[in-house]
Amino acid sequence: MKRILVAVFKHEVGSFNPAKTRYEDYNIRRGWEVVETLSNTNTTTAGALDVFAAHGDVEVVPAYAAWTGNTGGLVVEEDLQRIIGELLEAVRQNAEVDGACICMHGATAGEREGDPEGQIVAGIRALIGDAPIVVSLDLHGVIAQRLVDAANILVFLHTYPHVDMYQTGQRAARNLLKLVEGGVAPATARVQIPLLARGDELITASGRFGEAIRMCQEIEAAPGGLSAGVNIGNPFTDTPDLQSNAFVTTDGDPERAQREAERLARFMWNNRHHFVPKLTPLEEAVRLAQETEGLTVFSDAADSTASGASGDSNAILQGVLEFGYSKRALIPVVDAPAVARAIEAGVGARLTLSLGGTIDAARFAPVEVSAYVRSLSDGLFVDEDGLPGDSGRTAILMVGEHAIMATEKSASMVGRKVFLRQGLEPQDFDLIVAKSPNGFRVHYEPIAARIVAVDVPGSTSANVKTLPYEQCVRPIFPLDEDVVPPFSTDE
């Protein structure tokens, strides 16, 4: 029976969010808690576990899992190293294995360590020797060479918005079993693309990026194809490795891997102008929402709590009030002091308080409102993927016809369950703010009459030229002009 180690490390960091991430912001599971918590979820871990269970000749050795239910700023270095140390110690105690399946996001960064994933996988390699390692990754991961060198195969998500986490875990596990059982010689090519890609053309079901992903799937499906992916990085994790990449792994054919990776990179580069977002000014967005019959969804990608932002933007709230939106809006905002005031006042109270700008004060100034406290809760919920969520204590504040969901902590605002847990049915409103660039579409497109990507400030703005980059690869498109890629662009 083959012993397969399983470990998890997932967090998407926003370098421009001033609020640091701490140890207590992570969900930590040890040993069999990993299996108990993550089985039967839409995660890469669950997909891998099911493949191993179906194989029949595999003993799963769950070591350690750390992930955040919310994103945040750079991880405090001491806390990051504590997590990495705990993970590697759990691996050390279970190092006699035939292979390792590591489930990662790929866009974490500490105050000093810009490549935690590489540090972890290199550490695992040192502990388990030559046993094969396969790593599953989000396509928004930021990939350093240390990670590439330490792993045998990298397997990336193939959908955006992301819906194939479970299937990606299955792909990773099947590749690992091929390596463990022998007879496969992985050859990986990586082609770096000086590109920060944003916008709706990244939607794989309808945009240009989907063509690149279908090329990847064809490569994997062809004889000798093991893994192929286009990794576009998280433009808000500002580290020296931030850029896009094409990865192809074949069975014993490095020339083909290189050729296919260059083809993918060339496609992305030649379509780079399609990966610049089209954003709608706030006043126009409010006008469109006022005119729309049915639900309008505003995408506040600039304050995306799924991408590393603080969540305390009140820019859209101010616009709704300033530009006279007269219908019913549902707007989330992270504001711990406002929640404390609401709890002190109690349900049914009326009070005047300020909202927003309590974390990212350089970007957002508080706005004063008169509010009615509709309800209070602990903020715990289960998201659409079956994972626990925690927005901290939560107050639903009515400002005229508008419902403001004020939370103590940042939480994922991608799906609808975070609102449903508060007794708020999105379909009962005319306008809802989704603090997400595109992931929300899976949950809202079936009920939305209109979706508007709004141009407002924030630490995860899709207008990347507004962000204060210091470390990412330069020159890089679209931050710089006349960028020359390190590969031929001829078709």
Side-chain angles (χ1 to χ4, degrees), residues 60-385:
V60 171
V61 183
Y64 186 92
W67 77 93
T68 55
N70 58 309
T71 59
L74 296 170
V75 188
V76 172
E77 195 66 29
E78 179 183 1
D79 293 2
L80 176 63
Q81 294 306 322
R82 176 182 174 186
I83 290 171
I84 294 174
E86 289 178 356
L87 190 156
L88 293 178
E89 175 58 22
V91 173
R92 187 191 67 77
Q93 294 177 12
N94 297 279
E96 296 298 321
V97 294
D98 298 289
C101 181
I102 314 301
C103 303
M104 292 182 151
H105 181 283
T108 316
E111 293 173 307
R112 295 188 298 278
E113 174 58 76
D115 176 32
E117 291 85 1
Q119 182 183 350
I120 289 170
V121 179
I124 293 172
R125 170 61 66 209
L127 291 167
I128 70 172
D130 293 333
I133 299 174
V134 173
V135 182
S136 61
L137 293 151
D138 193 294
L139 56 80
H140 289 101
V142 181
I143 311 300
Q145 191 59 40
R146 175 167 56 170
L147 172 61
V148 179
D149 292 341
N152 296 85
I153 301 177
L154 305 181
V155 179
F156 293 92
L157 297 182
H158 277 167
T159 59
Y160 183 62
H162 306 319
V163 294
D164 67 328
M165 288 75 76
Y166 181 87
Q167 292 82 1
T168 300
Q170 290 182 308
R171 290 162 49 223
R174 290 171 183 142
N175 269 316
L176 181 58
L177 290 175
K178 291 177 185 177
L179 294 172
V180 167
E181 291 166 355
V184 174
T188 297
R190 172 195 194 182
V191 177
Q192 296 170 311
I193 314 166
L195 167 66
L196 296 178
R198 302 305 291 163
D200 289 352
E201 286 296 324
L202 293 176
I203 298 172
T204 48
S206 58
R208 296 292 179 98
F209 186 52
E211 297 180 42
I213 294 300
R214 285 184 283 279
M215 292 162 61
C216 293
Q217 293 167 336
E218 290 169 1
I219 292 167
E220 287 192 5
L226 297 177
S227 178
V230 176
N231 150 254
I232 57 175
N234 178 35
F236 319 114
T237 307
D238 183 25
T239 71
D241 298 292
L242 175 57
Q243 63 180 320
S244 298
N245 298 272
F247 283 96
V248 175
T249 302
T250 63
D251 180 7
D253 193 343
E255 290 79 11
R256 179 192 169 205
Q258 183 66 32
R259 184 173 63 252
E260 296 284 28
E262 288 182 1
R263 181 166 68 100
L264 291 168
R266 190 160 48 245
F267 176 88
M268 291 298 293
W269 182 255
N270 290 342
N271 283 278
R272 66 192 180 280
H273 293 287
H274 293 282
F275 303 131
V276 176
K278 297 177 177 64
L279 303 174
T280 302
L282 181 55
E283 184 172 5
E284 181 183 348
V286 173
R287 178 183 59 78
L288 289 171
Q290 186 70 41
E291 295 173 354
T292 300
E293 294 294 328
L295 176 64
T296 298
V297 180
F298 279 1
S299 167
D300 185 4
D303 195 37
S304 170
T305 52
S307 307
S310 54
D312 67 327
S313 169
N314 53 17
I316 291 179
L317 170 61
Q318 286 182 306
V320 163
L321 298 175
E322 178 182 349
F323 301 127
Y325 183 73
S326 64
K327 296 191 283 187
R328 298 164 300 172
L330 172 55
I331 305 174
V333 61
V334 178
D335 193 322
V339 173
R341 286 278 315 279
I343 291 172
E344 182 182 5
V347 173
R350 296 184 181 277
L351 68 164
T352 298
L353 76 171
S354 61
L355 287 173
T358 58
I359 301 170
D360 199 347
R363 290 186 174 90
F364 312 113
V367 57
E368 188 173 280
V369 298
S370 177
Y372 166 79
V373 182
R374 169 174 158 172
S375 64
L376 300 167
S377 81
D378 58 14
L380 299 176
F381 65 100
V382 176
D383 71 15
E384 279 78 0
D385 292 326

Side-chain angles (χ1 to χ4, degrees), residues 32-71:
W32 277 99
E33 292 177 341
V34 177
V35 175
E36 292 165 357
T37 302
L38 296 177
S39 292
N40 302 312
T41 59
N42 183 23
T43 62
T44 52
T45 309
L49 290 173
D50 284 353
V51 167
F52 297 142
H55 186 272
D57 191 32
V58 169
E59 177 189 354
V60 171
V61 183
Y64 186 92
W67 77 93
T68 55
N70 58 309
T71 59

